[in-house]
Amino acid sequence: IININKQQISNKLGLTLDDYIVFLKHPLSSSKDESFAQMEIAIKATISFLENNGLNGIGIYPNTDPGSYDILRAIDQNKSEQLKFFKTLPREIFVNLMRNSKALIGNSSMGLLEAPFYKLPVVNVGDRQKGRLNAGNVDFVGYDEDEIINALNKAVFNEEYRSEIRAQENPFG
């Protein structure tokens, strides 16, 4: 994979990316009926965090599991200049987007498997991934706006916490 810096990513995506987070949330089939409401809480909390801190976010569309249409509807109904969503991204952009991000929020397995490689703090919202082995870089939170915002503040701005994550061993190699 070619190493692409933030400026090159910004140019390719047509955005200004200084400090940013990545948002990647999938539906949980066991609670697909709550997908819209859950996604709306996660998006609103993230947008509030971004706006209050002058940051940007890059969102990636969910997988196609049951409940994904409701997640897409929540994305469409909660548009923001601070949080831009993309259907797909080329691999070299996605990998470098993660490499240069301040944090990952959502519930993707990427937070457990790949994020530790990049020493990336993760805010995992909801029960998807809960109970799985992780490197200690994951903060599991519920669907509460204040809890999500507090976890994002810790992940992005708490230097002691970020140092702990940089020192952690990745159990997945």
Side-chain angles (χ1 to χ4, degrees):
I1 299 279
I2 297 169
N3 193 358
I4 300 173
N5 66 33
K6 282 192 254 188
Q7 185 58 51
Q8 292 167 311
I9 295 169
S10 295
N11 293 343
K12 288 187 182 268
L13 297 180
L15 301 169
T16 301
L17 293 177
D18 291 319
D19 287 337
Y20 63 91
I21 64 172
V22 175
F23 188 108
L24 183 53
K25 186 172 179 329
H26 302 295
L28 180 61
S29 57
S30 62
S31 60
K32 70 179 180 79
D33 293 339
E34 290 101 43
S35 292
F36 177 82
Q38 291 173 345
M39 183 63 161
E40 193 164 58
I41 291 167
I43 287 177
K44 285 183 177 183
T46 301
I47 291 170
S48 176
F49 168 79
L50 294 171
E51 288 175 349
N52 289 334
N53 291 289
L55 300 174
N56 290 310
I58 301 296
I60 314 293
Y61 275 30
N63 63 25
T64 58
D65 288 351
S68 62
Y69 289 119
D70 290 325
I71 287 181
L72 294 173
R73 189 166 49 95
I75 291 169
D76 287 341
Q77 291 181 16
N78 292 279
K79 297 216 182 275
S80 166
E81 288 299 312
Q82 271 67 43
L83 182 59
K84 297 288 187 188
F85 278 86
F86 293 84
K87 290 182 182 177
T88 62
L89 292 171
R91 184 171 172 224
E92 70 179 24
I93 296 292
F94 181 74
V95 167
N96 285 288
L97 192 66
M98 295 303 297
R99 179 181 288 144
N100 292 293
S101 177
K102 298 294 278 182
L104 172 66
I105 179 169
N107 63 8
S108 172
S109 61
M110 173 162 224
L112 283 73
L113 302 174
E114 288 89 3
F117 177 77
Y118 299 112
K119 306 299 183 183
L120 188 64
V122 175
V123 176
N124 192 95
V125 183
D127 292 336
R128 192 170 190 266
Q129 312 305 340
K130 207 169 195 177
R132 290 186 61 191
L133 176 67
N134 72 81
N137 64 313
V138 183
D139 193 358
F140 291 91
V141 299
Y143 288 100
D144 177 85
E145 284 191 42
D146 289 336
E147 190 177 2
I148 293 167
I149 291 168
N150 288 338
L152 282 168
N153 273 307
K154 177 180 167 186
V156 173
F157 297 117
N158 185 321
E159 282 307 318
E160 184 177 327
Y161 177 66
R162 292 177 63 80
S163 291
E164 289 172 15
I165 289 173
R166 284 190 292 273
Q168 292 169 343
E169 296 262 340
N170 184 350
F172 302 106

